[in-house]
């Protein structure tokens, strides 16, 4: 009789957002007359920008003609998109990243879950706490995290780097040396950032101890402050130690279209001199069929003059929502952070409520859906994440409901 991968059975409960969806569905079924406002999941609400729609239509027209029809996409990505990303996201910022070091995918979530495959099972990971659940869960599936303690909500072989109010929700270098360091700035879920000098310390540390940084830059389009880096490659030496994940979901509204990329410089090598670039290329070519041509053409339109202008307006729309949430909750006496360089607001729960207690309270009393901070890790207890991705009208209404509790 066959057996399943036992590491999967170690995962506690269900995925965070699946649990939220079940609770919300049950509440809605029991209260069909209640109008919910969802500020929980980080899904965009603005439609795709006109420049992107035009590019999609044009690409479909190409696919309809025999002389321009395209079948399988190159597994590593079309050159036109890889070149556009290299030139605009990196070289324009003075970063030495070439097009052939960019691997096109269907999203940063998949890349963050798959990239750990190229590392040895005995590698030790370090994560910010609170943490985007995918980083830990996929390493659990790979047998890398040891055993789970339900009391502490921690894995025995994971180095947790607490991100608390006391340290500005930014991690400090751990005492125990990791092999793989997951960093996400602007951060999901806290919305925190680090300066270039602070990020440089992490790059220097990784190079010194022989660790790899997996840097999630999914929210870089929301950065507004000058001293906050848009990419880890703004730091000297990052080519030797950092893999960067990019997403089109939040900066261009591709949550329903799906497009992302992993940047793996050729300079990153293990102790035996094996390049991670070659391993990821082998993995990508073996297991991935490539993002569709029409989607990659839409991605190229993100970098057009019209695309840049239209997407800047969308980002401004969401950041207006973030400011509305931040200011409204502050005015109501809540302790909040984030919302300046990120579309997330990190709300401290009142009256010593747990994260799930406050989630239920808002759902039942205000009919507003957030995300319990404890679902992101032990240091998330006592917090709730709200997103700015709703409509402006719903955002205003949700804050009024919370203020009237």
């Amino acid at each position: 009789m066959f057996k399943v991968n036992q590491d999967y059975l170690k995962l506690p409960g269900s995925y965070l957002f699946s649990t939220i969806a079940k609770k919300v569905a049950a509440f809605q079924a029991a209260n069909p007359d209640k109008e919910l406002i969802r500020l929980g999941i980080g899904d965009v609400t603005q439609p795709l920008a006109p420049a992107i729609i035009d590019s999609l239509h044009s690409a479909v027209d190409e696919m309809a003609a025999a002389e321009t029809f395209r079948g399988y996409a190159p597994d590593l990505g079309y050159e036109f998109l890889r070149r556009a990303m290299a030139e605009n996201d990196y070289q324009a910022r003075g970063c030495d990243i070439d097009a052939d070091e960019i691997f096109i995918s269907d999203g940063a979530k998949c890349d963050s879950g798959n990239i750990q495959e190229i590392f040895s099972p005995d590698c030790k990971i370090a994560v910010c706490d609170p943490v985007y659940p995918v980083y830990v869960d996929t390493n659990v599936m790979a047998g890398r995290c040891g055993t789970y303690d339900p009391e502490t909500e921690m894995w025995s072989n994971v180095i947790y780097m607490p991100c608390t109010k006391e340290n500005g929700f930014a991690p400090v270098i751990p005492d125990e040396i990791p092999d793989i360091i997951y960093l996400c700035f602007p951060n999901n879920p806290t919305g925190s950032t680090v300066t270039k000098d602070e990020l440089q310390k992490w790059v220097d540390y990784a190079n010194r101890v022989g660790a790899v940084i997996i840097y999630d830059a999914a929210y870089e389009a929301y950065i507004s402050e000058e001293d906050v880096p848009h990419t880890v490659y703004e730091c000297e030496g990052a080519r030797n130690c950092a893999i960067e994940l990019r997403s089109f979901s939040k900066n261009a509204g591709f949550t329903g279209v799906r497009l992302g990329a992993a940047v793996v410089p050729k300079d990153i090598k293990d102790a035996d001199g094996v390049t991670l670039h070659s391993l990821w290329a082998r993995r990508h070519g073996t297991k991935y069929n490539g993002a569709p041509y029409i989607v990659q053409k839409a991605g190229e339109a993100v970098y057009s003059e019209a695309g840049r202008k239209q997407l800047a307006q969308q980002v401004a729309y969401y950041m207006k929502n973030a400011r509305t949430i931040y200011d409204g909750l502050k005015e109501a006496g809540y302790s909040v952070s984030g919302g300046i360089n990120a579309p997330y607001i990190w709300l401290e729960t009142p009256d010593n409520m747990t994260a799930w207690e406050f989630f239920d309270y808002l759902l039942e009393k205000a009919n507003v859906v957030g995300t319990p901070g404890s679902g992101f890790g032990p240091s998330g207890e006592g917090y709730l994440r709200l997103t700015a991705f709703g409509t402006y009208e719903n955002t205003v209404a949700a804050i009024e409901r919370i203020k009237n509790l």
Side-chain angles (χ1 to χ4, degrees), residues 210-228:
V212 170
I213 294 172
I214 298 179
Y215 191 83
D216 190 341
Y219 300 95
E220 67 82 24
Y222 294 86
I223 294 172
S224 61
E225 296 179 315
E226 289 188 6
D227 198 30
V228 176

Side-chain angles (χ1 to χ4, degrees), residues 75-76 117 278-290:
D75 49 26
L76 306 186
E117 289 185 18
S278 63
L279 294 184
W280 186 240
R282 184 68 170 86
R283 191 267 175 206
H284 217 56
T286 301
K287 292 189 173 185
Y288 186 60
N289 267 339

Side-chain angles (χ1 to χ4, degrees), residues 168 176 270 349:
E176 188 177 0
D270 78 347
T349 63

Side-chain angles (χ1 to χ4, degrees), residues 248-314:
F248 286 75
S249 290
K250 304 305 193 294
N251 70 327
F254 277 43
T255 53
V257 180
R258 308 307 309 141
L259 190 64
V263 183
V264 187
K266 298 174 184 176
D267 297 352
I268 310 177
K269 301 178 182 179
D270 78 347
D272 297 320
V274 178
T275 64
L276 297 191
H277 182 276
S278 63
L279 294 184
W280 186 240
R282 184 68 170 86
R283 191 267 175 206
H284 217 56
T286 301
K287 292 189 173 185
Y288 186 60
N289 267 339
Y293 174 74
I294 62 173
V295 173
Q296 294 196 49
K297 288 300 288 185
E300 183 185 34
V302 168
Y303 300 98
S304 67
E305 183 177 352
R308 287 175 176 276
K309 182 178 180 180
Q310 293 162 10
L311 293 176
Q313 293 172 346
Q314 287 195 356

